[in-house]
């Protein structure tokens, strides 16, 4: 059996680090507790614009539903019930969006492909591991490199600019909740728009809104278009995510037709692994596991992310 020195010579012959990698060992010296206390965020201009647009569109929908359709209504309970339902869906959707955007999707530590780390792995003779040449890390099984996050992400499904983050092992459940709540709020807004149009036509556009008829029509039409667009996009994404989870196959793995080398968790087992625990109402709660985290900045060396 080859000795550890033989394995070390193999590492030296096929170096995991080159001069161009410029790995700084001090950058990876923080403890796992410190990493857990940080909030993940990606510095990507397109992603940040898309994330802000998402929030503005949801706020616009809430404004139209509340101030154009519900408050002018003469039916008190109709306004209260629909207002509570829509605003709850909007809060849950935006909360899920925040959790998706600010949660580490499963990033592999940068620059851990060192001889010291290799020796700590206690590899068996002939065991093969992979190094990502872009972020200089030991690449776990099912991890893929994201060119926007500039990190290898465990079980990376895709990078979504609308949440300004990758969808991966640790934040997929929040992305699924985000698409579900946006789809539900879009359906609710479309139903309210239809009822409002009927009410305004019957009342000759006189008392159906506090705004003038032309402004009311423009606001309702734009909300209908937004609702149709959001519903179509999020319903499709929700369906593909549930399909991927139940088949234990990420979108990247499906597109690349990668043959599974891992033990698949199908259907409910896959859902339990993503959402945690047996089926319960906690699966629908984006606040599960939330805690306030300390502000902590760190220098950026070739990567767009920072921690707060």
């Amino acid at each position: 059996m080859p000795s550890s020195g033989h394995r070390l010579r193999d590492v030296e012959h096929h170096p995991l680090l080159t001069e161009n990698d410029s790995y700084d060992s001090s950058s990876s010296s923080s403890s796992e507790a410190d990493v857990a206390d940080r909030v993940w965020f990606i510095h990507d201009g397109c992603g940040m614009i898309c994330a802000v647009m998402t929030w503005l569109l949801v706020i616009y929908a809430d404004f139209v539903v509340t101030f154009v359709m519900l408050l002018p209504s003469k039916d008190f309970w109709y306004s209260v019930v629909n207002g509570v339902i829509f605003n709850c869906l909007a809060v849950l959707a935006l909360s899920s969006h925040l959790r998706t955007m600010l949660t580490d999707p499963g990033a592999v530590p940068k620059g851990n492909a060192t001889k010291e780390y290799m020796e700590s792995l206690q590899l068996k003779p002939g065991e093969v591991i992979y190094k990502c040449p872009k972020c200089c890390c030991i690449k776990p099984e099912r991890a893929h490199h994201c060119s926007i996050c500039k990190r290898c992400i465990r079980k990376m499904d895709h990078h979504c600019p609308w949440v300004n983050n990758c969808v991966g092992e640790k934040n997929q459940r929040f992305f699924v909740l985000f698409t579900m709540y946006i789809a539900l709020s879009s359906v609710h807004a479309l139903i309210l728009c239809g009822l409002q149009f009927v009410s305004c036509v019957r009342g000759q556009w006189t008392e159906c809104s506090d705004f003038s008829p032309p402004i009311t029509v423009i606001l309702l039409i734009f909300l209908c278009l937004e609702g149709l667009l959001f519903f179509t996009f999020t319903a499709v994404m929700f369906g593909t995510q549930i399909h991927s989870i139940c088949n234990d196959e990420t979108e990247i793995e499906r597109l690349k037709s990668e043959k599974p080398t891992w033990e698949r968790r199908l259907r409910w087992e896959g859902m339990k692994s993503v959402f945690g625990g047996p089926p319960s109402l906690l699966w629908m709660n984006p606040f599960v596991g939330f805690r306030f985290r300390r502000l902590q900045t760190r220098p950026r060396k070739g990567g767009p992310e920072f921690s707060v």
Side-chain angles (χ1 to χ4, degrees):
M1 179 181 295
S3 64
S4 60
H6 178 75
R7 293 199 302 270
L8 182 57
R9 285 195 296 271
D10 288 341
V11 171
E12 291 172 348
H13 182 67
H14 302 285
L16 291 170
L17 280 176
T18 64
E19 294 179 358
N20 293 330
D21 287 328
S22 64
Y23 167 64
D24 182 8
S25 59
S26 62
S27 64
S28 62
S29 60
S30 59
S31 64
E32 293 182 0
D34 289 337
V35 175
D37 284 341
R38 298 170 182 161
V39 175
W40 176 272
F41 188 78
I42 299 298
H43 268 214
D44 176 58
C46 177
M48 289 188 287
I49 291 174
C50 290
V52 171
M53 286 180 58
T54 301
W55 274 69
L56 291 178
L57 288 172
V58 173
I59 292 173
Y60 168 80
D62 188 71
F63 168 80
V64 175
V65 168
T66 303
F67 294 97
V68 178
M69 291 188 281
L70 297 182
L71 288 182
S73 175
K74 296 180 179 179
D75 191 333
F76 174 78
W77 288 112
Y78 171 84
S79 300
V80 171
V81 172
N82 283 285
V84 169
I85 293 175
F86 187 85
N87 281 278
C88 285
L89 290 175
V91 169
L92 290 171
L94 294 179
S95 300
S96 301
H97 183 273
L98 275 180
R99 293 300 302 274
T100 307
M101 182 172 60
L102 300 179
T103 299
D104 179 353
V108 181
K110 278 185 177 181
N112 65 354
T114 62
K115 290 187 294 185
E116 293 79 6
Y117 182 72
M118 285 287 297
E119 291 174 349
S120 68
L121 293 177
Q122 298 181 349
L123 299 174
K124 298 178 181 179
E127 187 174 353
V128 178
I129 60 174
Y130 297 93
K131 168 202 168 186
C132 176
K134 298 178 180 178
C135 60
C136 194
C137 70
I138 299 297
K139 203 170 186 179
E141 188 179 35
R142 306 186 70 182
H144 294 84
H145 186 85
C146 175
S147 59
I148 299 176
C149 296
K150 297 192 183 331
R151 298 288 287 273
C152 283
I153 307 296
R154 294 182 179 90
K155 289 185 66 176
M156 175 180 171
D157 189 85
H158 67 287
H159 185 95
C160 179
W162 296 103
V163 297
N164 189 34
N165 202 1
C166 278
V167 177
E169 183 179 63
K170 295 183 179 179
N171 68 345
Q172 188 175 26
R173 63 167 295 185
F174 302 122
F175 182 75
V176 173
L177 292 178
F178 167 66
T179 56
M180 182 185 71
Y181 287 125
I182 287 292
L184 291 176
S185 59
S186 297
V187 170
H188 191 201
L190 289 172
I191 293 174
L192 292 177
C193 280
L195 295 176
Q196 186 71 12
F197 271 117
V198 172
S199 174
C200 289
V201 169
R202 287 180 177 176
Q204 301 296 321
W205 298 90
T206 54
E207 298 181 358
C208 68
S209 174
D210 293 336
F211 296 87
S212 63
I215 298 298
T216 301
V217 170
I218 293 174
L219 293 174
L220 292 178
I221 290 177
F222 189 79
L223 180 59
C224 287
L225 294 176
E226 178 191 338
L228 287 172
L229 180 63
F230 267 36
F231 172 74
T232 302
F233 174 74
T234 54
V236 170
M237 288 303 302
F238 177 79
T240 57
Q241 288 296 301
I242 295 297
H243 180 269
S244 296
I245 294 172
C246 291
N247 288 279
D248 196 12
E249 182 183 45
T250 66
E251 187 66 17
I252 292 179
E253 293 165 349
R254 186 186 68 82
L255 293 174
K256 290 185 175 181
S257 300
E258 295 182 1
K259 295 182 179 180
T261 58
W262 59 92
E263 184 179 355
R264 282 188 165 181
R265 298 177 178 179
L266 302 179
R267 299 179 176 85
W268 281 113
E269 291 302 318
M271 295 289 288
K272 290 178 183 178
S273 67
V274 172
F275 288 91
S280 68
L281 290 177
L282 294 178
W283 283 16
M284 316 285 285
N285 184 4
F287 301 102
V288 171
F290 174 78
R291 61 191 179 92
F292 289 101
R293 303 184 179 188
R294 60 189 174 88
L295 177 66
Q296 180 171 354
T297 59
R298 61 183 177 185
R300 191 175 56 174
K301 295 186 178 181
E305 78 283 353
F306 74 94
S307 300
V308 295

